[in-house]
Amino acid sequence: MASALTLPAPLKKAFSLFPLQTHPPVPFTVRFPLVKPTLWIAPPRTSSVGHVSLLSTDVECLKWQAYIALRGLTDIAVRWDIPPEGALGGRLPTLHIPGTVTDGNLLTAEDIPSWVESQSTTGVDALDGYKDEHAKDESHAWVSLLEGVVHAALILSGSTSSPFDIFIRLSGNKRRPIEAILNPPPAPLTGFSSLLPAFGANVSLSALHLQYTEAINVVSERLGEDTWFLGSANPTALDALLFAYLHCLLHTGDVTRLEVARHANLVAWERRVKTKVKVAFRIAPRR
Amino acid sequence: MPDASYVLHVWPSQWGLQSLDPTCLASVMYLQLSMPGKFQVAESCDPDMSPNGHLPFLIHGHLAHASFPSIVSFVTSLSRARASGVRNIDASLSASQRAQSIAWWSHVEASLGDLVSHMFFGVDANFWGLTRPTLTSLMPIPQRYYVPGRIRESYRRRLETSGLWRSPATEQEHKSPFAKNEKKRDDHTSTFTRAFEREKVMEKARTILDLYARLLDGKKFLFEAHPTSLDVYLAAHILLLANPPFPGSVLQILLLEKYTSLAPPYELAAPSKPSVLSLFTFGRGVTKEVKASNPDDVRFQRMRWVWVALALGAAAFNIVQFSKSIVILSVDDDDEEGDEDEDAYDEGVDIEILEEDKDED
């Protein structure tokens, strides 16, 4: 069939003139050459002193940073020049590991635990590091408490260090808007029965703050004087999540920060875990 | 000081349960346990009456408390005043038990709450077959056409995030009479995707229900020998998963067949035992009162009707008098100054203006 249709000779001659000009390939250098596993995170907080902290301002990224660090891995590089749209799956964090492919492999956040398992020397733990089955079940309850009320209070706490952070926070929230965090979902501001189209979310900040206060109280109560939450012998994923939330809460506005700062055991615990987490990360070397 | 009553506004009762919403059902049960006979239940279909846009809400005098946690904290504060006769059913929990109870509470709210809203609003067959007709039958005329859809829309974001939106739970599909031949080829892939989606939802439900079965572990209640607020909240969700007659009922069948340890303590308890479900069989102490019989309100209503009657009477009187003074001007421009009206001042003014206009012409 291909032989029946051929290009007529004048057309072939005309097409052979193109391309008119071919430029040589532009060499580009990779900004951050991949030497060690690199974690792409949201930008960390810059303090006025000028010392750059390596802990991200975003709870998701910080949670995974803490998870990697608490599982004992060290010497992980971080970079924060990539916006969320450039990361795998459209959201940060993403892990870039040197692998068999020349450019390395990209892993989404969900694949990080399996990579950590492959790097660590300990065997597979059915209880995931928790004391017993009961503690493992209870950890689900604490996760939903932290990711529900505490996350909502963090988002709505409303104070930022600079006006630009507001844009970052609002744009990063497309994945989990306030309507998806609270259950039952907040009613529209215009009401269900009004003739206006549904708009906004009717969230009662005072009621939410009451629930948040109670949540922080019980977290402090449950932590007590334990080294790790729920009395585990070694740090678990729940510890990483709790550290991420405590760290972000301690850097928010007055009212939410005060609730956490009121509990000395939470502040001391967060400080201790922060030293452990910071040790594991380096800034990615630029070329 | 007159004793103001506690009125709880909830969604109406359906399917043998006191309300069709899990938080409303839980608040009715909770109030029945802590202050039996001291509160009234008002059935309402208008969530906009509430301060936060959702039912349930509790009104006491001028205070309104919306959402189940606020109601619980209000009742707990009431129970501290010994003269009020209100019990705090969580009082016997130790501090660590209370901490665990609050964590489990948020897990019930998030995971079981998602399953309940998935069954009511996420599954198409259930929404069009059960939820929407029920809500439509309860609501008045203009609201019944658009409010159920709006309520469903408000759940969409949350269910999409947890992956429980629009999963087909039944074998029924939309059969178009014209697409018989094309369907045969597409049927296989669509059957596979539907089965896959359904299996994902069932797997999620199984994990959650396993968790609660392990937590309950054969005991009657979760912490003590008597129900606490967490038991009430859990029971409300499970009852709303087990009782309503869902068209797409795969999850319901899973709950009733595989998780019998969760279902019977909350369903088949005999009324003599002090267990959670004995509240429903007789409804003792729960009075349903829709209108307030306050003498002040009655007087207000009577005065309002008197005012309306007077206003209508005065309007009718004015119209009659005005119509008498309307003058039909004929073409030949005679002096039509008859019918000077001496009744109402304003009509007199109108006639004068008419005369002035005539003079200017």
Side-chain angles (χ1 to χ4, degrees), chain A residues 180 183 185 192-194 214, chain B residues 48 54 98 109 146 150 158:
Chain A
N183 201 17
F192 282 118
S193 335
S194 82
E214 200 168 17
Chain B
D48 292 339
H54 275 293
R98 194 175 140 64
E109 185 183 50
Y146 61 94
R150 277 211 184 149
R158 173 144 186 118

Side-chain angles (χ1 to χ4, degrees), chain A residues 7-259:
Chain A
L7 210 52
L11 270 181
K12 213 185 260 180
K13 217 166 102 197
F15 287 165
S16 67
L17 291 173
F18 294 96
L20 294 172
Q21 165 100 10
T22 310
H23 296 281
V26 177
F28 67 94
T29 55
V30 174
R31 204 183 310 157
F32 292 97
L34 192 65
V35 189
K36 16 185 186 185
T38 310
L39 190 66
W40 301 354
I41 57 172
R45 195 166 292 110
T46 50
S47 63
S48 51
V49 178
H51 164 67
V52 177
S53 141
L54 290 177
L55 300 177
S56 175
T57 44
D58 179 33
V59 175
E60 272 291 310
C61 302
L62 184 55
K63 169 176 97 175
W64 287 110
Q65 274 189 290
Y67 180 77
I68 293 175
L70 289 176
R71 290 302 294 261
L73 298 173
T74 52
D75 208 25
I76 312 281
V78 289
R79 59 186 289 196
W80 51 84
D81 57 329
I82 298 184
E85 292 81 20
L88 197 61
R91 42 186 219 259
L92 294 167
T94 302
L95 185 64
H96 192 187
I97 49 177
T100 50
V101 189
T102 43
D103 282 336
N105 291 330
L106 278 180
L107 298 177
T108 57
E110 283 79 24
D111 298 328
I112 290 180
S114 50
W115 177 76
V116 169
E117 289 287 321
S118 69
Q119 298 293 108
S120 70
T121 47
T122 58
V124 176
D125 186 4
L127 287 176
D128 284 339
Y130 295 106
K131 212 167 47 176
D132 54 8
E133 186 75 32
H134 185 76
K136 189 174 173 193
D137 291 342
E138 201 185 326
S139 69
H140 291 288
W142 289 104
V143 167
S144 59
L145 179 72
L146 286 175
E147 286 190 346
V149 172
V150 177
H151 192 89
L154 180 65
I155 287 186
L156 294 175
S157 64
S159 107
T160 50
S161 50
S162 84
F164 295 108
D165 285 350
I166 300 178
F167 293 111
I168 294 173
R169 210 195 302 160
L170 283 177
S171 67
N173 267 349
K174 283 196 197 78
R175 194 169 53 89
R176 280 187 80 200
I178 191 70
E179 293 92 358
I181 297 174
L182 296 172
N183 201 17
L189 269 176
T190 46
F192 282 118
S193 335
S194 82
L195 296 172
L196 299 170
F199 166 78
N202 185 354
V203 180
S204 159
L205 285 174
S206 54
L208 185 68
H209 189 74
L210 274 173
Q211 281 187 280
Y212 163 71
T213 313
E214 200 168 17
I216 294 292
N217 287 343
V218 299
V219 166
S220 167
E221 166 70 43
R222 192 71 178 91
L223 179 65
E225 301 298 326
D226 294 342
T227 320
W228 300 112
F229 203 64
L230 294 182
S232 324
N234 291 316
T236 53
L238 179 58
D239 293 302
L241 184 69
L242 182 62
F243 166 72
Y245 276 107
L246 285 180
H247 184 82
C248 291
L249 282 169
L250 282 169
H251 287 274
T252 56
D254 288 325
V255 189
T256 42
R257 191 176 56 83
L258 262 177
E259 291 304 327

